[in-house]
Amino acid sequence: MKHRLILAAFFFYCTSIFSTLSGVVVRGKIIDSNTREPLAGVYVIYGKHLGTTSDENGFYLFTSGSEKLSVTFQFIGYESVTREINSGFNDTIELNIELVMKIREIDQIVVSADKTEKRIAELSVSMDIIKTSFLSENHITDAQEIINRTPGIEVMDGQASVRGGSGFSYGAGSRVLALIDGLPMLSADAGNIKWQYLPMENLAQIEIIKGASSVLYGSSALNGIINFRTADASNIPVTQFFIESGIYDKPKNRNWVWWNTPRIFSTASFSHLRKSGKTDLGIGGNIFIDEGYRRLNGEKLARINIKLKHYSGRIAGLNYGMNVNAGYNIKKDFVLWENAETGALKQSPSTANEYHGTFFTADPYISLKKPGRFQHDIKIRLQSTLSRLPDSEQNNSDANSVFAEYQLWYRLMSILDLTAGISENYSKVKSNFFGDHSGFNVAGFAQFEVRPVNRLKAVAGLRIENYSLDGINDKIVPIIRAGLNWQAAELTFLRASFGQGYRFPSIAEKYAATTIGSIKIIANPAVRPESGWSTELGIKQGVLLGDITGQADFSIFLLQNSNMIEYMFGAYPEGFGFMATNVEQSRVYGCETEMLLARSFGELQTTLTGGYTFIYPVEYNKYTNQNTGTYLKYRRKHSGIVSVNTQWKKLSMGVSLYLKSKILNIDDVFINTPILQGFDGYWAGHNTGYTTLDGNIGYKINEKFTLSVAVKNLTNTEYMGRPGDIQPQRNFSLRFSGKM
């Protein structure tokens, strides 16, 4: 009897263990039926109080003890889908789902505007989201190029301007702050964006705020922010790659052709994301080689990024990790052309200095979160930028910085949230070019969000900031922001915002002194900080008309800035040259409209996107507060974008049209002096605005592999960025990509 009891207990124990380890495994991927983009955060419900959600790559996974299941997939803005499953015990079911959009864009989740997760429709500021599918379809590997294709934004020779808030300042200082996962990545010396090192191969999405964002992000966010959010690992490992090669066509002006052999560019990229127990791993890399369509302007680039995140098994909501980005770049920047007639694509040898750049960041972090109650975040960025010019060692520079931030989000009560934190940024520059300098920035910020009545949200924030350079303190600066968002109807959201901005001059703007060809740069240690504010009224409207879905956005805005820093050409004690000077008092009035419409015709899915921005950028007299009628430099009144993308079965096609009006004003020195030979006549005949057309076509070989072709500047339009900077002529590229 005793033996029978022991055997029965053992059998019961084994059965219990078996039942906990066995069951029906259901897994798959959830995508948008129209765009084919993965959907994150979809609710997967398979029983009473039983469910999970899809990750950032659209993957889900669950195990059930029942052989007969009814699984429902629910997501805001999409039609719910229910699937019945009948299977045997221990089976693994692959169930991929395509959800049909009712309305999607206004329900996307973003983090950049308020440093916490929010629906984009509920923001009080304008924000654009760039999805990774747009990059792959259009063969975009350069971060500057994708930003340039966003309505209301222009990147001129590496310097970004949002809605005319910036002009061109010769590569020093940026009024737009670039971030990787919320951490700044401007160089400590020139204060510019190192576009080439951004981890384009491992992105979830790019979030762009249009307008002053200094309250939450500090100096250099005077005109807006661009946050590159990297992707997290999913339940199912994901590997993506592509190899691409392209060729430059001949320019429309055949007198400019200087080469005898084809000018080729090539790229190879990969990324891998996976989970291993409670640890997420991501790794990506890119190699880029461009022979250049301009003489003495080739480039070679290699970068790698690693992302580690570990979830604590002891403390719920605790995770910590480390992100690493590194890159090496060899190139020759294009500074001055030889002449307008035959040498516009030939760099003057006197300015063709070879540049070797090294970039490295290590970002440890720790986060503790209790959903709906609080979240603590500590983030650190250790950044190093080394610049070497073998033929011009007097321009070498080592720039290192340490950024640290503590942030708290806390729900004080059901209608009131607090976001607050403190940050510091220590920088050290050792340079023959700028001299040796150290800077220290410390700030505290707080922002409240209140929901006094249903459908109404209000935010108000304050930042206190202080900056010291070489031990000399600047004044303590307070800046504020405020905003409202009211959901007037189910798919209608009204917003209003006001925000101040403040930017300390970069070390380059204060101390850079060098000669490049015929251009002389003169230091100005007395240059003062810039300040300004922006305000906006806007409406975001969801569209749901039969089979047509999407959203539209319209806004009017006003920017005003004081003591804007420009490089002015003149006669100084050091001689004739350019010096960073506080001269520009600027106002930019404008309006902007954007839209996205999608419709399915059976197996044919079509998406139409577009945007138009109008600005009126003028100087004003700071004593009378009246406009002077003088246009701000390097701005355009009109810019527009229209894109149409279609997909039918395994075939996809897209066409994009870009329109920009003429540049309103430039520095007189380029017209009245021989710095750019022949430029005055060229400018008079060619500053008329331009239109370019891009196209792409792709074929999905199978579920894993795609072959695609892209043509950029299909019309072979001849156009210019800043003076003397002729943009690429028509070029073709072939890409083989995979996702496994």
Side-chain angles (χ1 to χ4, degrees):
M1 183 65 179
K2 182 177 179 181
H3 292 292
R4 290 180 180 179
L5 289 174
I6 293 173
L7 288 173
F10 179 74
F11 176 78
F12 177 77
Y13 174 76
C14 291
T15 302
S16 301
I17 293 296
F18 181 78
S19 66
T20 61
L21 297 176
S22 305
V24 179
V25 177
V26 182
R27 66 183 184 183
K29 184 176 182 180
I30 308 169
I31 64 173
D32 183 299
S33 65
N34 178 47
T35 66
R36 321 303 293 178
E37 275 284 299
L39 297 177
V42 178
Y43 290 102
V44 183
I45 303 168
Y46 55 92
K48 188 175 182 180
H49 305 305
L50 296 174
T52 185
T53 58
S54 59
D55 62 23
E56 286 189 354
N57 293 295
F59 291 109
Y60 72 92
L61 172 71
F62 68 84
T63 303
S64 173
S66 175
E67 298 178 38
K68 186 175 182 180
L69 292 171
S70 179
V71 186
T72 300
F73 301 85
Q74 295 179 347
F75 194 49
I76 295 174
Y78 287 78
E79 300 286 352
S80 296
V81 171
T82 300
R83 294 285 186 267
E84 304 295 331
I85 296 176
N86 289 290
S87 62
F89 215 57
N90 293 330
D91 281 354
T92 297
I93 305 299
E94 191 84 20
L95 183 59
N96 296 319
I97 298 294
E98 297 182 11
L99 295 185
V100 178
M101 179 176 64
K102 291 191 296 186
I103 180 166
R104 177 189 176 190
E105 293 297 315
I106 66 173
D107 291 304
Q108 293 184 95
I109 301 300
V110 295
V111 300
S112 301
D114 296 318
K115 288 200 170 185
T116 56
E117 291 187 349
K118 294 285 178 62
R119 291 172 62 208
I120 190 172
E122 297 175 344
L123 302 179
S124 61
V125 296
S126 286
M127 173 179 279
D128 280 353
I129 299 175
I130 302 173
K131 290 296 186 180
T132 55
S133 58
F134 188 82
L135 278 70
S136 58
E137 290 167 357
N138 292 276
H139 293 193
I140 296 176
T141 57
D142 182 359
Q144 297 178 77
E145 183 180 351
I146 186 61
I147 301 304
N148 241 336
R149 294 175 182 234
T150 305
I153 303 180
E154 182 165 11
V155 182
M156 188 173 289
D157 203 15
Q159 293 189 285
S161 172
V162 177
R163 293 173 170 174
S166 301
F168 173 67
S169 55
Y170 304 88
S174 177
R175 294 165 191 152
V176 176
L177 179 61
L179 308 162
I180 303 176
D181 292 326
L183 292 170
M185 58 87 62
L186 298 182
S187 65
D189 47 13
N192 57 359
I193 301 172
K194 299 297 185 182
W195 298 99
Q196 66 270 37
Y197 301 122
L198 290 163
M200 302 290 286
E201 51 279 353
N202 184 30
L203 290 179
Q205 62 187 30
I206 303 171
E207 300 175 0
I208 303 173
I209 295 179
K210 298 176 177 179
S213 305
S214 293
V215 165
L216 292 179
Y217 291 99
S219 182
S220 296
L222 179 67
N223 190 211
I225 67 164
I226 305 171
N227 188 16
F228 294 80
R229 290 181 58 190
T230 59
D232 285 323
S234 60
N235 290 323
I236 299 174
V238 177
T239 299
Q240 299 183 83
F241 72 90
F242 72 79
I243 52 175
E244 175 186 326
S245 187
I247 185 171
Y248 292 105
D249 199 355
K250 293 181 179 180
K252 183 174 291 187
N253 186 340
R254 292 298 195 262
N255 293 328
W256 288 356
V257 178
W258 56 269
W259 58 87
N260 296 317
T261 57
R263 311 308 296 168
I264 305 294
F265 56 91
S266 302
T267 309
S269 173
F270 83 95
S271 70
H272 178 73
L273 296 166
R274 69 178 303 117
K275 286 181 177 291
S276 178
K278 292 185 177 297
T279 301
D280 294 356
L281 170 65
I283 184 169
N286 182 280
I287 296 175
F288 172 72
I289 300 174
D290 185 3
E291 293 182 348
Y293 65 97
R294 299 184 290 200
R295 191 183 68 176
L296 304 178
N297 191 213
E299 181 175 8
K300 297 178 181 179
L301 170 69
R303 64 174 178 255
I304 189 169
N305 54 83
I306 300 171
K307 186 171 185 176
L308 291 171
K309 179 188 288 187
H310 182 75
Y311 296 89
S312 173
R314 296 183 178 181
I315 303 174
L318 176 66
N319 68 80
Y320 48 89
M322 170 84 79
N323 299 335
V324 175
N325 288 280
Y328 185 69
N329 188 210
I330 301 175
K331 65 177 180 178
K332 290 183 179 179
D333 286 327
F334 193 90
V335 182
L336 300 178
W337 68 22
E338 283 191 349
N339 59 73
E341 293 184 4
T342 60
L345 299 184
K346 298 178 184 178
Q347 179 164 202
S348 172
S350 63
T351 64
N353 289 319
E354 186 171 290
Y355 166 87
H356 294 198
T358 304
F359 181 82
F360 177 81
T361 64
D363 308 335
Y365 65 90
I366 184 169
S367 177
L368 177 62
K369 179 179 181 180
K370 186 170 184 179
R373 291 288 306 279
F374 63 80
Q375 181 169 340
H376 300 272
D377 290 287
I378 297 175
K379 298 179 179 180
I380 298 172
R381 164 155 289 173
L382 310 173
Q383 179 172 300
S384 175
T385 306
L386 307 181
S387 301
R388 296 290 182 268
L389 289 85
D391 300 323
S392 182
E393 293 186 358
Q394 70 273 15
N395 292 332
N396 289 351
S397 177
D398 295 356
N400 301 292
S401 62
V402 180
F403 175 86
E405 179 181 81
Y406 164 73
Q407 180 183 308
L408 165 70
W409 176 85
Y410 193 81
R411 176 146 291 169
L412 299 171
M413 57 183 71
S414 61
I415 64 168
L416 182 63
D417 297 342
L418 168 67
T419 302
I422 56 174
S423 67
E424 69 80 28
N425 191 11
Y426 174 77
S427 58
K428 182 74 173 179
V429 174
K430 185 178 181 181
S431 172
N432 299 328
F433 187 10
F434 310 119
D436 297 347
H437 303 279
S438 62
F440 183 70
N441 177 284
V442 62
F445 61 89
Q447 177 174 284
F448 292 91
E449 179 184 291
V450 61
R451 300 170 291 279
V453 296
N454 190 31
R455 296 190 171 191
L456 178 65
K457 292 181 173 64
V459 296
L462 170 69
R463 185 182 190 92
I464 304 294
E465 190 162 17
N466 179 250
Y467 179 72
S468 65
L469 181 62
D470 298 329
I472 301 174
N473 280 314
D474 201 327
K475 65 179 181 180
I476 296 176
V477 180
I479 48 179
I480 62 172
R481 70 164 294 207
L484 291 171
N485 183 288
W486 177 47
Q487 186 177 357
E490 181 182 1
L491 302 177
T492 305
F493 296 81
L494 305 177
R495 66 179 183 273
S497 64
F498 172 85
Q500 292 180 317
Y502 196 84
R503 186 180 79 87
F504 301 99
S506 66
I507 288 174
E509 288 167 303
K510 279 180 168 288
Y511 298 107
T514 189
T515 299
I516 305 174
S518 59
I519 296 179
K520 186 173 185 177
I521 305 296
I522 300 170
N524 182 11
V527 68
R528 301 187 306 278
E530 304 173 332
S531 62
W533 54 266
S534 64
T535 186
E536 176 189 45
L537 294 173
I539 177 172
K540 188 176 290 290
Q541 176 65 55
V543 178
L544 187 55
L545 300 172
D547 294 331
I548 300 176
T549 61
Q551 63 95 16
D553 190 279
F554 176 77
S555 60
I556 57 175
F557 54 85
L558 170 62
L559 321 176
Q560 180 166 305
N561 295 314
S562 300
N563 292 325
M564 299 296 280
I565 300 171
E566 280 197 2
Y567 273 88
M568 299 296 295
F569 184 82
Y572 301 99
E574 297 84 353
F576 286 94
F578 291 89
M579 178 186 288
T581 311
N582 298 100
V583 293
E584 191 177 76
Q585 315 297 315
S586 69
R587 283 185 180 141
V588 181
Y589 307 84
C591 63
E592 185 173 82
T593 182
E594 297 184 62
M595 59 88 181
L596 181 150
L597 299 173
R599 181 172 180 178
S600 297
F601 303 87
E603 293 187 88
L604 178 66
Q605 291 91 35
T606 302
T607 303
L608 172 67
T609 60
Y612 165 73
T613 305
F614 167 79
I615 64 170
Y616 181 70
V618 292
E619 294 182 0
Y620 73 94
N621 187 306
K622 62 181 178 180
Y623 302 106
T624 65
N625 206 35
Q626 299 296 311
N627 295 340
T628 65
T630 301
Y631 287 126
L632 303 177
K633 296 172 185 176
Y634 305 105
R635 274 81 160 183
R636 310 175 192 269
K637 277 190 177 180
H638 308 277
S639 61
I641 299 172
V642 179
S643 297
V644 180
N645 291 276
T646 62
Q647 182 167 338
W648 180 69
K649 295 184 177 180
K650 294 185 176 183
L651 189 66
S652 62
M653 292 183 291
V655 176
S656 297
L657 179 69
Y658 303 91
L659 306 96
K660 293 191 177 182
S661 62
K662 67 178 183 179
I663 294 179
L664 298 170
N665 196 5
I666 63 171
D667 290 300
D668 291 338
V669 64
F670 291 111
I671 298 175
N672 299 325
T673 67
I675 287 180
L676 285 170
Q677 292 187 33
F679 177 78
D680 51 348
Y682 182 86
W683 184 253
H686 290 80
N687 182 35
T688 57
Y690 64 89
T691 301
T692 61
L693 186 69
D694 293 353
N696 64 80
I697 184 169
Y699 179 74
K700 197 172 184 62
I701 300 171
N702 53 38
E703 288 300 315
K704 295 181 180 180
F705 303 117
T706 300
L707 188 67
S708 57
V709 176
V711 183
K712 298 177 184 177
N713 194 1
L714 184 62
T715 54
N716 210 17
T717 300
E718 181 183 311
Y719 66 104
M720 183 184 297
R722 53 98 175 155
D725 186 25
I726 302 296
Q727 296 301 290
Q729 63 267 18
R730 180 168 49 222
N731 55 90
F732 307 86
S733 58
L734 175 67
R735 175 180 289 195
F736 176 72
S737 57
K739 187 172 184 178
M740 299 174 285

